[in-house]
Amino acid sequence: MECSFAFIAVAGIAQPSPHAEFDRLVKEASDLSRQADYGRAIPLLRRAAALIPQDPSANYLLGAALLESGQTAEAVAPLRIASQATPPIEAAAGYLGDAEMELQHFSLAADAFESAVARSPDSEQALLWWTDFSLERYRVLEFSLRASPRGRAALLQLAAAQDSLDSKRREELLKQASAMNPESSGVWGQLGFAQAMLGMEADAEASLQSARQNQPDGSSTLELEAIVDATRGHWPEAGAKLLNLAQRSQAEFAKFKAVWPRTLYPAQEMNGTIWQCLSEAKPDCLPVISAAQQPNALTPQQLFAEGRWEQLVALPVANFPGAKEPAANEKDWFWRGFAFAELGNCPHAIPALERGLNAGAEEAAVRLANCYQRQAVLAADHLQTLGNAASVHQIRGDIQLSIRLDPSSAAAEYTEALNLKPKDPELLEKLAEAFYSEGEFAKARQAAQQALEQNPHRKQLLQLLIRVAMNERDYSTALSLLAQLTAMQPANPWIRIQQATAYAQTGHPGEAVQKLQPTLDAGYPDEKGSLHAMLAAQLRKLGRDHDAKIASDEAIRLADDFAQQTRSAPQDQP
């Protein structure tokens, strides 16, 4: 994802400066940057930034030039200065988010894009940046979740939480999820509750035993215990558990109220009890809850285990163990992000879950993906209220492409947007991507070339045209485009893989091996072993049979590992 297609005019962002030398350096560097001559622009901008270190215009141009030239890590500091200036340079926030994303600092990227929206909530550009980022993260997270049984279990469990599902379908999904990952947070309690709602008493009892073994303190376990006690007529025990649940989290209790059977209440007087809270639409439950004994101060881990979401998010970050040591407190961030997600607060959940993604694994990833999807839809709705019809069509196209996996509908949305914003290069690029996903390579090439005319240094457009040429077996065109891209990104391993493939297909085994072997040795992913197989074939053509056998053996090993993983993976999908 890129935020901008061109540098904005220096005259529009430069601050008043008494330094004629500063103005000259910035002006000259800006002109060079428009020509993509970053090698000459960057030293000039460094000199300008040294003269006035906090100048937003110099720092913005320096950061953008560093980012465009592949010096991503160095781009962050000047872009941060420009984005936090008063007033900030709006484009700097987009470039900063791009830089953090490229460095895989996703929590910082989310911070950058969310901050841009918070500063300018009605900014079309800021909303589009945030949506692009959200949908890209959704796509990556969804793909990673579907690649493992535990990930698919998390997706099934999320699908089962939809309000529109009936109890039978919910039970089916949760049963699949529990089989794939019996340790998933809350799955046994949720499964047992669905079974209890269906009158499957024996199954609900079995699920309750599993819930007590796996999550004895979990809210879902408590919810299942409450409904089992109530169905047996054990009203005091059920009431005590309901009161415990309401004490833990009023938000969780409110969700539980919505699904509690309307006929499952004790016959005795309910006024002033937790049963009144459960039965009334807008009850005043605070007196009932506060009258009960509250537990002593709990640790963040205990708050998480018991589903005390409001208390958990109310803790200052400094109160979390290891709060000043990011590498040591990933689990604390996961707990915090999980709680925000359960409370429906995605803007706060996203940065926290990104920071705790390693610790939270699939449970963090599924909530992140869900939040990103929701934020993208909210942004589209907001743009519609602002009357930005072209942007609404653009976001709808992004949703069709990234979430619905429907490139034909995405292309239709992008076409509608282009009718309102003719020749817009960003829309043309997105249309080209949609056509490419459809297999409409001629249309994809045409749209990409139209966008490239307006921005000849756009790396993503060159990559798309390369993919089109490779699919059409037009290897001479592909090699020419790859040479252009190499000049812009000399260290990009994807370029070398494409060059190796083109050389192999055109009878140049020496060049193919020269590009391919060092890239694979450096760790370029080859999940199915196909790249090692290609390397082996090219080595044999050069008479290097010993090296070819080594590459071939590795190709076979990788292919076998992939086949084994595919065979062992359950096929159920939400």
Side-chain angles (χ1 to χ4, degrees):
M1 183 190 68
E2 289 272 343
C3 297
S4 177
F5 279 82
F7 287 85
I8 55 182
V10 175
I13 61 171
Q15 307 299 306
S17 168
H19 299 281
E21 176 66 3
F22 171 86
D23 293 336
R24 183 191 66 79
L25 290 169
V26 171
K27 175 65 168 63
E28 185 177 343
S30 180
D31 291 340
L32 290 168
S33 293
R34 286 196 195 91
Q35 302 167 35
D37 191 351
Y38 305 119
R40 293 170 61 195
I42 288 171
L44 299 177
L45 291 165
R46 289 191 192 280
R47 287 166 56 190
L51 288 172
I52 308 180
Q54 296 301 309
D55 184 86
S57 61
N59 278 286
Y60 163 67
L61 291 170
L62 174 59
L66 288 167
L67 180 61
E68 292 289 353
S69 63
Q71 301 175 66
T72 309
E74 293 184 56
V76 170
L79 288 171
R80 196 174 299 281
I81 290 172
S83 67
Q84 294 177 350
T86 305
I89 295 174
E90 186 179 37
Y95 273 109
L96 176 61
D98 274 352
E100 298 288 17
M101 190 175 181
E102 195 169 316
L103 294 169
Q104 298 189 20
H105 299 163
F106 299 119
S107 62
L108 296 176
D111 285 339
F113 291 123
E114 282 191 324
S115 296
V117 173
R119 282 194 300 266
S120 305
D122 294 339
S123 166
E124 179 180 6
Q125 184 62 79
L127 288 166
L128 288 173
W129 288 338
W130 176 229
T131 304
D132 277 351
F133 171 74
S134 296
L135 290 174
E136 176 60 17
R137 286 299 289 146
Y138 170 85
R139 185 188 65 80
V140 171
L141 290 163
E142 181 88 356
F143 182 81
S144 68
L145 285 164
R146 291 187 180 278
S148 72
R150 292 175 68 92
R152 288 192 291 276
L155 288 170
L156 286 164
Q157 200 171 348
L158 177 66
Q162 297 177 56
D163 294 336
S164 58
L165 290 184
D166 59 36
S167 294
K168 180 60 179 174
R169 180 56 179 156
R170 183 172 287 113
E171 192 268 345
E172 291 170 353
L173 293 174
L174 289 167
K175 196 168 185 178
Q176 293 175 41
S178 65
M180 290 183 187
N181 183 12
E183 300 174 354
S184 182
S185 178
V187 69
W188 290 108
Q190 294 164 15
L191 173 60
F193 191 88
Q195 291 166 335
M197 294 288 283
L198 292 167
M200 302 166 63
E201 295 184 12
D203 293 307
E205 181 63 38
S207 294
L208 178 57
Q209 297 308 313
S210 296
R212 285 170 172 164
Q213 291 173 8
N214 286 276
Q215 275 195 305
D217 299 323
S219 292
S220 65
T221 303
L222 196 60
E223 292 169 356
L224 176 55
E225 288 176 332
I227 196 170
V228 168
D229 282 340
T231 55
R232 293 171 175 170
H234 299 166
W235 303 112
E237 292 86 348
K241 293 178 175 67
L242 290 170
L243 181 59
N244 189 344
L245 184 66
Q247 286 179 312
R248 292 184 180 194
S249 169
Q250 291 195 47
E252 191 72 29
F253 185 69
K255 288 189 284 186
F256 189 54
K257 274 180 52 178
V259 296
W260 183 268
R262 298 295 93 189
T263 57
L264 197 59
Y265 291 95
Q268 68 265 31
E269 176 64 40
M270 295 190 298
N271 288 337
T273 70
I274 193 64
W275 294 103
Q276 182 183 8
C277 295
L278 191 68
S279 63
E280 293 183 2
K282 293 183 178 180
D284 181 10
C285 294
L286 286 177
V288 176
I289 296 171
S290 58
Q293 184 178 1
Q294 297 282 357
N296 295 325
L298 301 175
T299 67
Q301 183 174 5
Q302 290 170 319
L303 293 174
F304 174 77
E306 294 187 7
R308 297 179 182 271
W309 310 131
E310 291 90 342
Q311 295 176 59
L312 187 53
V313 301
L315 286 178
V317 174
N319 285 7
F320 279 76
K324 295 183 179 179
E325 303 170 17
N329 74 330
E330 287 184 351
K331 187 156 285 189
D332 302 305
W333 281 114
F334 164 60
W335 294 332
R336 188 176 181 82
F338 191 109
F340 274 124
E342 291 299 302
L343 293 171
N345 188 336
C346 282
H348 282 88
I350 286 171
L353 287 171
E354 288 284 17
R355 288 178 171 89
L357 186 54
N358 289 334
E362 296 84 10
E363 292 188 8
V366 77
R367 284 163 180 80
L368 259 179
N370 185 47
C371 269
Y372 278 128
Q373 179 181 3
R374 289 170 59 186
Q375 292 303 103
V377 172
L378 285 173
D381 291 344
H382 186 52
L383 283 167
Q384 189 163 19
T385 64
L386 296 173
N388 296 329
S391 295
V392 172
H393 283 297
Q394 177 177 328
I395 292 178
R396 285 176 178 169
D398 293 343
I399 291 172
Q400 292 293 343
L401 195 59
S402 297
I403 296 178
R404 311 298 180 210
L405 303 179
D406 186 351
S408 178
S409 295
E413 293 287 355
Y414 295 141
T415 301
E416 287 294 328
L418 279 164
N419 290 335
L420 298 168
K421 293 174 67 175
K423 297 184 179 180
D424 181 88
E426 185 175 1
L427 287 170
L428 284 167
E429 181 178 342
K430 289 177 178 290
L431 180 61
E433 285 285 359
F435 282 142
Y436 181 86
S437 298
E438 275 191 282
E440 296 279 359
F441 299 132
K443 291 181 179 179
R445 181 173 58 251
Q446 182 182 11
Q449 287 173 339
Q450 288 175 2
L452 200 63
E453 289 173 3
Q454 300 179 62
N455 187 14
H457 307 293
R458 173 77 170 164
K459 299 187 291 289
Q460 286 79 358
L461 288 169
L462 287 172
Q463 288 178 340
L464 178 56
L465 287 169
I466 289 165
R467 286 186 279 140
V468 169
M470 295 290 284
N471 272 284
E472 294 181 329
R473 301 181 183 276
D474 184 359
Y475 298 115
S476 60
T477 297
L479 286 168
S480 176
L481 292 168
L482 285 162
Q484 293 181 48
L485 193 56
T486 300
M488 300 166 67
Q489 294 182 306
N492 187 335
W494 180 84
I495 297 174
R496 293 194 289 273
I497 293 296
Q498 304 310 309
Q499 288 172 322
T501 303
Y503 283 131
Q505 293 294 327
T506 53
H508 295 86
E511 290 86 345
V513 170
Q514 185 182 26
K515 298 292 183 183
L516 185 56
Q517 190 159 26
T519 308
L520 290 175
D521 290 345
Y524 191 87
D526 185 23
E527 187 179 33
K528 299 178 182 179
S530 57
L531 294 176
H532 280 85
M534 180 170 69
L535 176 61
Q538 300 308 301
L539 288 166
R540 287 193 196 93
K541 292 180 180 179
L542 296 172
R544 295 169 57 181
D545 293 342
H546 176 71
D547 293 336
K549 185 178 187 308
I550 294 174
S552 180
D553 289 345
E554 180 65 6
I556 293 170
R557 184 190 69 78
L558 291 167
D560 288 346
D561 287 350
F562 180 79
Q564 179 61 35
Q565 292 172 11
T566 303
R567 283 194 296 270
S568 62
Q571 298 303 308
D572 295 302
Q573 298 290 338

